[in-house]
Amino acid sequence: MSERERANVAPAKKGVGSEHPRPVLVVDLGAQYAQLIARRIRECHVYSEIVPHDLSAEDVATRRPAGLVLSGGPASVYEDGAPSIDPRLFELGVPVLGICYGHQLMAQALGGAVEATGRREYGGTTLHVGDRGILLQDLAADEPVWMSHGDAVTRAPEGFRVTSRTDAIPIASMEDPVRGMFSVQFHPEVAHTPRGTAIMKRFLYDGCGLLPEWTPANVIERSVAAVRAQVGDAEVLCALSGGVDSAVAALLVHKAIGDRLTCVFVDTGLLREGEPEQVEETFGRHFGVPLVHVKAADRFLARLAGITDPEEKRRRIGEEFIRVFEEVATEHRDARFLVQGTLYPDVIESGSRTAARIKSHHNVGGLPERMNLELVEPLRDLFKDEVRTVGAELGLPEEIVLRQPFPGPGLAVRIVGEVTEENLRIVRAADHVVREEVLRSGLDRETWQAFCVLLADVRSVGVMGDGRTYEHPVVLRVVTSEDAMTADWARLPHDVLDRISSRIVREVPGVNRVVYDVTSKPPGTIEWE
């Protein structure tokens, strides 16, 4: 790299008011927790982004990173085809933190040694701190950490000092602060490493020289400036669903352009019971923005007729949304921009160079190639918990800020099979029971999402009133999560499960069996489709 390129990526403190702070880039080396690392960095009020491991040093330099974090990963650094990085990344003059596999990759690239020692560590381990250096300043002599590795660094590169060990490995952390190189074998990003956040802060604040400036107030200021720069003096439509994402997006854009914003609520016929009325009522109380209510249930159902593939459902719903908004735009002074509440997890799960496509979100991978509207996505870089924090900062009430997520394609992706009026009736009624009982039990704030999935193509034998039934099962899905990137199934009290099951079978015609999904994410996803 030239001296000019090095200058462009050298660490520097970032002032408030610019379009975006310089990011700390999380280089994804196949880690299960790459997204978690990015979130932990943001919890330290520093902006982070996830990038693929095969970016060249020149590509990384153009992003002007304030720091790099090399994630963990399941491979061995000496295996054929193992994820690697451009070794010139270490020559950019940017501080680097290696975690687990990233720790080993750094050691190998800079002249150290990595070996399969035969002493694997999985789970809780005691870290013996010998030299606190920069990263471990806040740790005691013996600290619990979380390990997950088979290989180990057995010789540190020249210029590094070893700062800790465990009973199994001689080099559990090392650093060369002169060159801004730091690495740890354990996982500071997980909750099982109690002082992990303190370690991350030491890297960000002391190692990279950053300030904790990624705050809700600064996010709002930057988002408003970016929206103004993008839309100029044009008219703008906003896709309002009633959820926190679209509500926060609407408020940010309204703050930027005022009465040139018109919100559009599209009733697709795929919403929950009472939702259209609730959206209009809530919007009327809390927003001073015009609202257009488009009733389009028939056209969405027609587009979904005979379709059972979930990706095709999402694609058709995404395209139909755009067509509706294009029609509304012609009636509202030819608006050229459409605001969506797209989040960072939507972008990740819809597929990128960093991550395989898990499912196409209707507002990302489900969009049509031809569009007459330009998208405005002020939340595209945010995780869900950050959106809620920004919403609270903007003054949104708790009933919106803390509302449980509902997928953009609605109940269409909660029907495994064809979306018909009858199947919608069944899943809508079952969902209503679930939400009532979760709310009645005081579990709505303790759970991330609670809903039902209809297995429309499956029937099971049952007995009611001494007679045989042959009807559908529904799947109860209740999870806990922080950001929807990972989730665990909720351990609901048995009496709550009993009430939900009994009511659904008794009150929802067409259902004779309720099962509970006890799959975490990963390996499952929160929604079934």
Side-chain angles (χ1 to χ4, degrees):
M1 301 294 293
S2 67
E3 289 302 318
R4 176 173 294 179
E5 286 172 322
R6 284 193 175 92
N8 283 340
V9 296
K13 301 198 187 304
K14 188 67 178 174
V16 176
S18 58
E19 184 178 2
H20 244 322
R22 288 173 54 192
V24 171
L25 299 181
V26 179
V27 181
D28 188 353
L29 291 157
Q32 181 181 356
Y33 296 121
Q35 292 86 7
L36 184 56
I37 295 171
R39 283 194 64 253
R40 291 292 180 256
I41 292 171
R42 294 190 186 195
E43 288 172 2
C44 298
H45 302 297
V46 171
Y47 181 62
S48 63
E49 294 177 357
I50 303 168
V51 298
H53 66 84
D54 58 356
L55 281 184
S56 68
E58 287 79 12
D59 288 336
V60 169
T62 61
R63 297 171 181 257
R64 302 187 69 250
L68 302 175
V69 178
L70 310 181
S71 81
S76 294
V77 294
Y78 43 75
E79 287 180 357
D80 290 338
S84 62
I85 59 172
D86 185 338
R88 295 176 299 159
L89 292 181
F90 297 113
E91 301 171 6
L92 292 178
V94 176
V96 182
L97 170 64
I99 295 176
C100 192
Y101 182 86
H103 162 73
Q104 297 166 10
L105 196 62
M106 179 185 291
Q108 182 190 58
L110 298 178
V114 180
E115 300 176 24
T117 63
R119 301 189 68 184
R120 301 185 175 190
E121 291 178 302
Y122 294 101
T125 305
T126 299
L127 187 75
H128 305 301
V129 179
D131 179 351
R132 287 183 172 82
I134 289 179
L135 287 193
L136 310 184
Q137 289 184 48
D138 304 298
L139 272 60
D142 295 309
E143 282 279 352
V145 297
W146 188 261
M147 291 280 195
S148 179
H149 70 95
D151 302 334
V153 176
T154 55
R155 187 182 73 250
E158 184 177 350
F160 279 75
R161 65 176 188 252
V162 177
T163 55
S164 69
R165 63 175 180 83
T166 70
D167 291 338
I169 59 173
I171 303 175
S173 61
M174 62 183 188
E175 58 184 60
D176 180 352
V178 174
R179 287 191 288 172
M181 302 293 167
F182 309 86
S183 67
V184 297
Q185 180 60 70
F186 54 90
H187 288 273
E189 73 274 18
V190 303
H192 305 293
T193 300
R195 301 294 294 168
T197 299
I199 294 169
M200 298 293 286
K201 286 181 176 179
R202 287 294 181 183
F203 170 68
L204 299 168
Y205 303 161
D206 299 344
C208 300
L210 293 167
L211 296 175
E213 295 180 335
W214 183 250
T215 63
N218 292 348
V219 170
I220 292 169
E221 183 177 346
R222 291 185 176 101
S223 297
V224 167
V227 169
R228 287 173 177 162
Q230 180 182 2
V231 308
D233 59 359
E235 301 293 325
V236 179
L237 301 179
C238 177
L240 188 81
S241 70
V244 62
D245 303 336
S246 62
V248 172
L251 281 185
L252 283 172
V253 176
H254 186 253
K255 188 176 180 69
I257 66 171
D259 61 6
R260 286 185 285 121
L261 173 70
T262 298
C263 288
V264 181
F265 170 61
V266 180
D267 183 355
T268 62
L270 308 173
L271 302 176
R272 294 173 290 193
E273 186 170 317
E275 194 149 32
E277 296 78 12
Q278 180 191 23
V279 169
E280 282 203 294
E281 192 273 333
T282 303
F283 188 89
R285 279 190 291 119
H286 297 294
F287 293 76
V289 185
L291 176 66
V292 176
H293 185 167
V294 180
K295 297 181 180 181
D298 290 344
R299 60 191 289 179
F300 276 88
L301 278 173
R303 290 283 283 143
L304 293 169
I307 304 302
T308 59
D309 178 73
E311 284 293 289
E312 183 64 14
K313 288 180 186 178
R314 289 174 177 274
R315 189 192 67 77
R316 290 184 176 224
I317 291 169
E319 181 177 11
E320 199 64 23
F321 262 119
I322 293 300
R323 301 304 171 228
V324 170
F325 291 124
E326 288 175 342
E327 292 170 13
V328 173
T330 63
E331 303 167 4
H332 288 78
R333 293 176 286 184
D334 292 321
R336 294 189 294 108
F337 294 90
L338 174 65
V339 180
Q340 290 195 147
T342 306
L343 304 189
Y344 198 29
D346 298 338
V347 177
I348 294 171
E349 289 194 340
S350 292
S352 66
R353 289 187 61 215
T354 305
R357 185 174 70 181
I358 306 301
K359 56 187 177 185
S360 295
H361 289 258
H362 78 288
N363 55 347
V364 183
L367 294 175
E369 292 184 9
R370 181 186 62 79
M371 293 173 51
N372 296 330
L373 295 168
E374 182 179 333
L375 294 181
V376 178
E377 298 176 315
L379 312 180
R380 190 179 178 89
D381 294 328
L382 301 184
F383 288 100
K384 189 78 169 190
D385 54 327
E386 294 176 305
V387 173
R388 285 179 167 151
T389 304
V390 169
E393 182 79 12
L394 288 168
L396 276 177
E398 281 194 355
E399 66 182 283
I400 297 178
V401 171
L402 299 180
R403 187 176 186 239
Q404 290 198 352
F406 183 62
L411 297 176
V413 292
R414 291 181 178 173
I415 297 172
V416 180
E418 185 180 3
V419 180
T420 65
E421 288 191 23
E422 173 62 11
N423 288 340
L424 283 168
R425 178 196 64 77
I426 294 172
V427 75
R428 185 177 286 121
D431 174 84
H432 181 67
V433 171
V434 173
R435 289 192 293 145
E436 274 196 343
E437 290 300 332
V438 168
L439 181 63
R440 180 179 302 167
S441 304
L443 297 171
D444 56 310
R445 298 291 172 83
E446 297 179 23
T447 55
W448 178 265
Q449 275 176 276
F451 59 92
C452 271
V453 176
L454 172 64
L455 304 184
D457 295 334
V458 177
R459 292 180 182 269
S460 66
V461 174
V463 56
M464 292 183 183
D466 296 326
R468 179 184 187 271
T469 63
Y470 191 55
E471 297 178 326
H472 298 290
V474 296
V475 180
L476 173 61
R477 181 71 161 148
V478 187
V479 299
T480 59
S481 181
E482 291 184 352
D483 60 2
M485 294 307 302
T486 61
D488 194 14
W489 60 278
R491 275 64 171 175
L492 295 186
H494 288 182
D495 62 320
V496 175
L497 289 171
D498 180 56
R499 286 200 303 273
I500 291 173
S501 176
S502 298
R503 281 193 60 192
I504 289 176
V505 173
R506 184 174 65 249
E507 299 175 18
V508 182
V511 176
N512 66 355
R513 190 180 300 272
V514 178
V515 297
Y516 192 36
D517 184 347
V518 294
T519 312
S520 297
K521 175 186 178 179
T525 57
I526 295 177
E527 300 287 347
W528 272 50
E529 292 197 334

